[in-house]
């Protein structure tokens, strides 16, 4: 389903919250986990989910175990997936993975996680931030807004135009970037500057790229559901991922 096509129910209309889900082993098709990317998959980029999409997911949840895997932090994902009158998103989905799984929930309970800054260390991070801000200050792009670096638990998100860009400005930057390769050139400069940092750069959205330790991409979320091919702890025999952009990522080493 194209999330743009789905009709929107008025936000004031009260809706029943999700009743308690049946245990994983009692789903109609047990042993199957379906994970969904957020931007461009469950919702248009940075916009709200439709009622039609939530209804579809609710019906799917009767069949299989479902989860979302977003790159953004949980509060941003809530802005997109949480519609008025619905239960909290970490209970509407069996698994909720924000920041690629660095913030993780199973059936509404938070799971243990690591942090980007703990992994990289303050000194290396400071050198990285200084380089990024200097690089952006030298760019000549049509529009610049605010929040050029967003510090998240599991990654940093770098945006040449700034994360405060409006929806219209996002679309324009995306087109500009397609012509001028602003983000891919930026990533190459970072890889050259920090070859030994062990970082991965992922250009997944419209106006930014994510930076995280190698291996901390969306596959990180699988650490919470499966370990080295052995299905732990929930015994999944199939895990399906649905996403709009499934390109190889660029690693600095
Ligand atoms: O889900 C893809 C990306 O979506 C957003 O990117 P942008 O703001 O550039 O459209 C960000 O949340 C990013 O972290 C995420 O990877």
């Amino acid at each position: 389903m194209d999330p743009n096509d789905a009709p929107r129910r008025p936000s004031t209309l009260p809706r029943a919250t999700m009743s308690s889900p049946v245990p994983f082993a009692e789903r109609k098709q047990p042993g199957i986990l379906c994970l969904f990317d957020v931007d461009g998959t469950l919702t248009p980029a940075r916009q709200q989910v439709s009622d039609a999409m939530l209804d579809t997911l609710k019906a799917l949840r009767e069949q299989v175990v479902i989860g979302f895997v977003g790159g953004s932090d949980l509060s941003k994902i809530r802005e997109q997936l949480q519609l008025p009158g619905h239960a909290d998103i970490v209970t509407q989905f069996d698994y909720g993975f924000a920041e690629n799984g660095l913030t993780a929930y199973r059936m509404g309970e938070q799971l243990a996680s690591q942090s980007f800054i703990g992994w990289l260390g303050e000194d290396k991070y400071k050198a990285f931030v200084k380089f990024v801000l200097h690089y952006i200050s030298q760019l000549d792009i049509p529009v610049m807004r605010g929040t050029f670096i967003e510090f998240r638990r599991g990654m940093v998100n770098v945006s040449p135009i700034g994360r405060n860009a409006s929806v219209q400005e996002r679309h324009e930057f995306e087109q500009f970037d397609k012509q001028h390769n602003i983000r891919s050139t930026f990533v190459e400069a970072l890889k050259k500057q920090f070859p030994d940092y062990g970082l991965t750069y992922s250009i997944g959205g419209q106006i930014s790229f994510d930076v995280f330790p190698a291996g901390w991409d969306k596959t990180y979320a699988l650490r919470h559901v499966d370990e080295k091919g052995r299905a732990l702890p929930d015994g999944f025999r199939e895990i399906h991922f649905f996403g709009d952009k499934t390109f190889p990522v660029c690693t600095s080493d």
Side-chain angles (χ1 to χ4, degrees):
M1 180 193 311
D2 181 346
N4 292 299
D5 294 342
R8 186 69 51 93
R9 196 176 275 144
S11 61
T12 49
L13 192 65
R15 286 171 53 87
T17 54
M18 174 87 57
S19 55
S20 293
V22 297
F24 292 180
E26 291 167 28
R27 303 287 160 101
K28 289 180 182 152
Q29 299 185 56
I32 299 179
L33 169 63
C34 291
L35 294 172
F36 296 89
D37 171 48
V38 180
D39 285 303
T41 303
L42 294 181
T43 76
R46 290 298 305 130
Q47 294 180 48
Q48 267 205 320
V49 72
S50 64
D51 277 314
M53 181 62 83
L54 288 185
D55 287 345
T56 302
L57 290 166
K58 187 176 175 183
L60 180 65
R61 198 181 187 193
E62 291 172 14
Q63 302 286 326
V64 299
V65 178
I66 63 167
F68 65 80
V69 192
S72 301
D73 63 27
L74 190 59
S75 64
K76 298 256 168 43
I77 294 177
R78 271 210 177 93
E79 285 170 16
Q80 292 176 256
L81 297 186
Q82 187 74 59
L83 293 186
H86 287 255
D88 192 284
I89 52 163
V90 297
T91 60
Q92 284 187 69
F93 291 78
D94 299 303
Y95 283 103
F97 297 120
E99 301 188 53
N100 293 346
L102 266 295
T103 298
Y105 283 81
R106 180 186 181 280
M107 303 287 274
E109 299 280 322
Q110 188 161 14
L111 306 173
S113 65
Q114 307 179 61
S115 75
F116 175 82
I117 193 67
W119 182 89
L120 189 62
E122 292 291 353
D123 288 348
K124 281 178 152 183
Y125 179 60
K126 249 189 315 197
F128 181 86
V129 168
K130 285 180 182 176
F131 182 87
V132 164
L133 292 178
H134 182 259
Y135 187 98
I136 291 176
S137 75
Q138 303 302 305
L139 284 176
D140 188 15
I141 55 178
V143 161
M144 284 176 140
R145 294 296 178 250
T147 314
F148 300 101
I149 301 179
E150 187 171 83
F151 181 78
R152 302 177 183 171
R153 180 170 179 83
M155 68 173 78
V156 285
N157 177 268
V158 176
S159 174
I161 179 176
R163 298 208 60 76
N164 296 350
S166 66
V167 170
Q168 179 61 27
E169 288 160 353
R170 284 178 153 269
H171 294 322
E172 286 165 8
F173 178 83
E174 191 178 24
Q175 292 313 314
F176 184 83
D177 191 42
K178 277 185 185 146
Q179 289 162 14
H180 300 280
N181 300 316
I182 303 294
R183 288 183 291 175
S184 53
T185 309
F186 198 165
V187 164
E188 287 312 311
L190 284 164
K191 285 165 69 179
K192 195 166 166 214
Q193 184 69 19
F194 302 104
D196 56 347
Y197 268 31
L199 293 171
T200 291
Y201 303 89
S202 173
I203 304 175
Q206 290 181 293
I207 57 162
S208 66
F209 56 88
D210 294 329
V211 184
F212 45 82
W216 289 23
D217 53 22
K218 283 197 167 61
T219 62
Y220 188 95
L222 295 176
R223 298 181 194 196
H224 297 289
V225 297
D226 189 291
E227 195 177 89
K228 294 192 177 112
R230 286 170 291 133
L232 297 174
D234 290 322
F236 297 113
R237 58 190 161 79
E238 288 177 25
I239 299 175
H240 300 273
F241 174 73
F242 299 85
D244 61 322
K245 291 179 183 169
T246 50
F247 308 129
V249 291
C250 330
T251 304
S252 63
D253 49 28

